[in-house]
Amino acid sequence: MLEKATLDDLLVCGHDMGLYYDVSFVIRLIKLFVDINGNDVMKMKKVGGLIDKYLIEISPDQKLKISKFLEVAECLPDFARDCFDGVYRAIDIYLESHPMIAFEEGSRLCRCLNYNKLTFEVCKDLAKNPKIPPRIAMQALISQQTNIPISCEFTIVGSKSMSPSKINLCYQDNNDNFLEEKEDMSINLEKMQWRVRELEKLCKEMKVQMSKFTGHNV
């Protein structure tokens, strides 16, 4: 019956490790639902959307551990979500609400994302998001690049007597949009590569400083 539930139905108050909501209870519900309805694609997708809303709702909780977040997100199989934009929104809120977590933990949090199922707009937002580790942003952008079709399809709208000049304009508009998106993606990828280089440079500088500090204290 979980496919008929609403978000309010899942927001059960509890004292699960100090959390405002009883997350463990919801995890048990999801696992039971998957065991019974794992082959019903329609039901699974309905619950997928519901769980994404639930993740967004519980993400700001300061006592919500990454392991619990991932357990909720990963209870459902990949096919239960046609799009992972909701999961990304929940991750973004979590990172915003937990600013002290390390980059490594941020990478771990992002493991529940399927980059191929992010929309292009959300992928661009992810790439520009300073809270997302550069390696994750690069992986997402690369996955989007592989999804861009080699040829640009377009539809001619109008009568059969449409003039060649209008047909060319239709194609040109679609082709221009395609080139703009591809160029935008390339720019974002270059930015991510720059961020990675800067981080590597910073790590090297820190190692040098640490070695000097250690040498002085020997």
Side-chain angles (χ1 to χ4, degrees), residues 44-206:
M44 295 292 284
K45 288 185 176 182
K46 284 183 180 179
V47 172
L50 175 63
I51 298 308
D52 288 355
K53 293 177 183 177
Y54 181 73
L55 280 170
I56 291 171
E57 185 69 28
I58 66 174
S59 291
D61 194 328
Q62 293 297 306
K63 294 185 178 180
L64 179 66
K65 294 183 178 180
I66 289 178
S67 58
K68 278 290 182 184
F69 182 102
L70 289 173
E71 197 171 356
V72 175
E74 295 176 342
C75 275
L76 294 171
D78 188 79
F79 72 83
R81 296 181 175 95
D82 289 327
C83 179
F84 273 69
D85 288 8
V87 180
Y88 167 69
R89 295 301 179 199
I91 289 173
D92 187 38
I93 293 170
Y94 187 95
L95 293 173
E96 184 73 33
S97 305
H98 302 77
M100 301 306 293
I101 69 171
F103 255 32
E104 293 79 8
E105 289 296 283
S107 297
R108 180 180 165 218
L109 186 66
C110 292
R111 81 180 190 195
C112 61
L113 283 174
N114 182 336
Y115 307 126
N116 291 311
K117 289 187 176 183
L118 291 174
T119 61
F120 182 69
E121 289 302 317
V122 166
C123 192
K124 287 197 297 182
D125 184 77
L126 183 153
K128 297 173 184 176
N129 192 336
K131 300 185 293 294
I132 299 294
R135 181 176 60 83
I136 299 298
M138 287 183 67
Q139 288 177 357
L141 285 172
I142 290 170
S143 71
Q144 288 288 315
Q145 280 191 318
T146 59
N147 287 336
I148 294 179
I150 297 174
S151 60
C152 184
E153 295 182 359
F154 62 95
T155 303
I156 300 174
V157 180
S159 65
K160 294 181 180 179
S161 60
M162 182 182 286
S163 66
S165 60
K166 288 184 179 180
I167 294 174
N168 287 335
L169 281 174
C170 288
Y171 174 78
Q172 187 64 43
D173 288 343
N174 281 279
N175 196 43
D176 287 345
N177 291 334
F178 166 73
L179 291 174
E180 285 175 7
E181 288 188 352
K182 190 171 183 180
E183 183 180 357
D184 194 12
M185 187 177 295
S186 297
I187 292 171
N188 284 330
L189 184 57
E190 288 175 4
K191 287 181 179 178
M192 290 306 101
Q193 291 171 337
W194 177 83
R195 283 175 62 189
V196 170
R197 288 195 296 270
E198 288 297 305
L199 285 172
E200 289 175 344
K201 182 180 177 182
L202 181 61
C203 286
K204 289 179 181 178
E205 291 176 356
M206 289 177 66

